[in-house]
Amino acid sequence: PFQMGTSIDEKNIESLMESSPTLSSVYKYIMIVDDEPDILNLYMDYLQMEGLKVRTFEDPIQALSEIKINHSSYCMIVSDIRMPQMSGIEFIKRVNKIDSKLDVIFMTAFDLEHDKIKEVDKAEFLKKPVKLENLRECIIRILESRAQK
């Protein structure tokens, strides 16, 4: 039981964070990929204000290069599905070959073709226009469920 006057030792917290991969993974980056810079800026500003670490990419090919080099820096990818350079589905299929543990949230304004969805398991879907609170709630829910595993 918690008693008044009991202080939590910062060293204990640090050692707990080092020994528990789930706690430290909460502090990793969220990658957002969308070909619309205004949307990227909006999501990034909002999520950073909410205390999340975010990196954004307009081009899924550049994002894929970043994943090849730094996949361990990320815990999640939020991706648009329709982009001119490469579809979000194709992007995530390639990401999964590098690191299949990354959580995925797709955003789309279009109705999804079920056969395409089956190609990518473990993904969440948000319909555009995505409300900022809905995006945040979805991210937090995934992070919390990951921390409980």
Side-chain angles (χ1 to χ4, degrees), residues 1-2 5 8 23 29 38 59 64 76 97 109 123-124 127 143 147:
F2 183 78
I8 297 171
L23 275 177
Y29 282 90
D38 294 347
D59 181 346
L64 197 59
M76 183 182 306
K97 288 178 182 166
E124 298 257 347
K127 196 148 175 64
L143 290 176

Side-chain angles (χ1 to χ4, degrees), residues 35-98:
D35 58 316
E36 296 178 52
D38 294 347
I39 287 181
L40 285 178
N41 291 332
L42 181 69
Y43 291 163
M44 184 169 74
D45 291 347
Y46 176 75
L47 293 172
Q48 284 180 337
M49 282 192 323
E50 293 292 319
L52 296 163
K53 296 196 304 192
V54 177
R55 289 189 182 141
T56 61
F57 293 84
E58 283 178 50
D59 181 346
I61 294 162
Q62 282 184 322
L64 197 59
S65 297
E66 167 68 4
I67 289 292
K68 282 179 186 164
I69 302 164
N70 293 318
H71 65 92
S72 61
S73 301
Y74 295 90
C75 60
M76 183 182 306
I77 298 174
V78 179
S79 177
D80 190 11
I81 288 187
R82 287 217 178 160
M83 295 180 282
Q85 307 89 335
M86 178 191 304
S87 80
I89 303 269
E90 181 60 32
F91 168 63
I92 294 301
K93 281 164 59 177
R94 292 187 190 186
V95 165
N96 282 338
K97 288 178 182 166
I98 300 162

